[in-house]
Amino acid sequence: MTIEPVTELGSGGALRLPHARVVPLSAPPSSYTAAVERYLTGAGIAKSSAQIYQISLTTWGWMLAGEGAPTGPARRGAKPPVFPLTAIDDPALPEVLAELAAARADEMDADTVNRELSIARKAIGWWQRQGWIESDPTIGIERRPAPPDRTKALAENQIAALWRLDVSLREKTFWKMLYESAARADEVFHRLRHSALTHDAEGGTSTPMLLARSRHASVRSLERDARPSVDAVARHVAERDPAARGSADASKSNYWRLLGPPRWSPLSGDGRNT
């Protein structure tokens, strides 16, 4: 943002002291949802983190609108409230937000709550730097102390017994993948989701079908998950290039012209198998 000095006339024509006026760097977004999209695409968020950021900012969208964020089954299919980004500057919001954040902290684990708060503050700070909002209503909300992780590791004989359980091959494969990669389950699920949408896109699945399957709200957000590889794009272009098809047909024709047709082919004019 930029700051311009402004001088105004006071009563009786006296000049008032100059004060600052914030000039946005770009046109402010029309809604909080649009502001989230602008942040995710303009703030240099890593593609691997964009999904987590979007989920956290969607959750905070309810609270910034003065509502409690849904949890559990109630969250599925719930539509976030639509409100202007400038509502964040409401002077009454910090008190309401503190109560909502405290209520959410009672329902969710500390790691989740702290991650969401950190992401919300990063986004709010970025919007402030764009000159779209002025205040940060999260000031005063403290991070929750995370309890120590007391999860006990399974012994090697217990792991061996796990592989011998009579369960579906799909489930056992998933367990083995988590064990051998030491990855978090949510990271594995996100990578598989990204892979499925990318492979569908490479296979020619239409954008409306990809949106319906992934439940993305916009093509821009879908692009973060469905990213065809360079080779897949090259194949797609080659398959639809008339010049490439003509070149391939010409090559086949020259081959048969030089070597002659096989002992039997439609080109030989002989319908017998010799």
Side-chain angles (χ1 to χ4, degrees):
M1 66 180 177
T2 59
I3 299 177
E4 295 181 350
V6 178
T7 304
E8 298 177 349
L9 289 176
S11 59
L15 288 176
R16 293 178 178 174
L17 291 176
H19 64 275
R21 179 178 66 189
V22 176
V23 180
L25 292 175
S26 59
S30 59
S31 66
Y32 172 80
T33 303
V36 169
E37 290 291 339
R38 295 269 290 273
Y39 170 66
L40 294 177
T41 57
I45 305 301
K47 293 180 179 179
S48 58
S49 303
Q51 185 75 11
I52 299 298
Y53 272 61
Q54 186 171 47
I55 292 173
S56 297
L57 291 173
T58 298
T59 298
W60 267 77
W62 271 286
M63 296 193 292
L64 290 170
E67 304 177 20
T71 58
R75 185 183 177 91
R76 184 171 299 173
K79 293 185 178 181
V82 178
F83 62 96
L85 181 66
T86 51
I88 293 178
D89 286 330
D90 184 347
L93 181 59
E95 183 177 354
V96 174
L97 191 61
E99 294 179 359
L100 292 171
R104 181 162 179 79
D106 291 338
E107 298 178 349
M108 309 298 293
D109 63 274
D111 288 339
T112 298
V113 171
N114 291 337
R115 181 180 65 248
E116 292 175 347
L117 176 60
S118 175
I119 291 173
R121 282 179 170 159
K122 289 178 182 178
I124 289 171
W126 191 81
W127 294 329
Q128 286 177 312
R129 291 191 294 276
Q130 307 311 304
W132 298 342
I133 58 174
E134 296 181 3
S135 59
D136 179 358
T138 68
I139 293 176
I141 299 177
E142 297 181 355
R143 292 173 59 86
R144 298 286 167 161
D149 186 356
R150 303 187 186 280
T151 305
K152 293 183 178 180
L154 296 175
E156 291 186 0
N157 63 323
Q158 291 176 308
I159 293 294
L162 184 67
W163 305 145
R164 294 193 297 269
L165 289 178
D166 185 17
V167 296
S168 68
L169 179 60
R170 172 188 289 185
E171 190 167 358
K172 188 175 293 187
T173 301
F174 181 64
W175 292 348
K176 207 168 187 67
M177 178 173 58
L178 290 176
Y179 177 73
E180 293 181 352
S181 66
R184 293 180 179 271
D186 56 347
E187 294 174 355
V188 173
F189 278 123
H190 176 65
R191 190 167 186 178
L192 291 175
R193 170 183 165 85
H194 163 70
S195 300
L197 292 174
T198 295
H199 296 159
D200 282 351
E202 292 176 345
T205 303
S206 67
T207 299
M209 184 60 70
L210 290 172
L211 285 170
R213 182 179 179 191
S214 65
R215 298 184 181 179
H216 278 291
S218 67
V219 175
R220 179 177 294 179
S221 60
L222 173 64
E223 288 175 348
R224 288 193 292 270
D225 278 339
R227 299 193 297 273
S229 66
V230 174
D231 291 340
V233 173
R235 286 195 302 270
H236 176 84
V237 173
E239 290 170 357
R240 287 156 178 79
D241 183 4
R245 290 200 301 269
S247 176
D249 292 342
S251 298
K252 292 178 182 177
S253 177
N254 290 334
Y255 174 85
W256 293 119
R257 187 177 296 112
L258 291 172
L259 299 182
R263 298 184 64 185
W264 179 88
S265 79
L267 298 178
S268 67
D270 185 356
R272 294 177 293 105
N273 231 352
T274 57

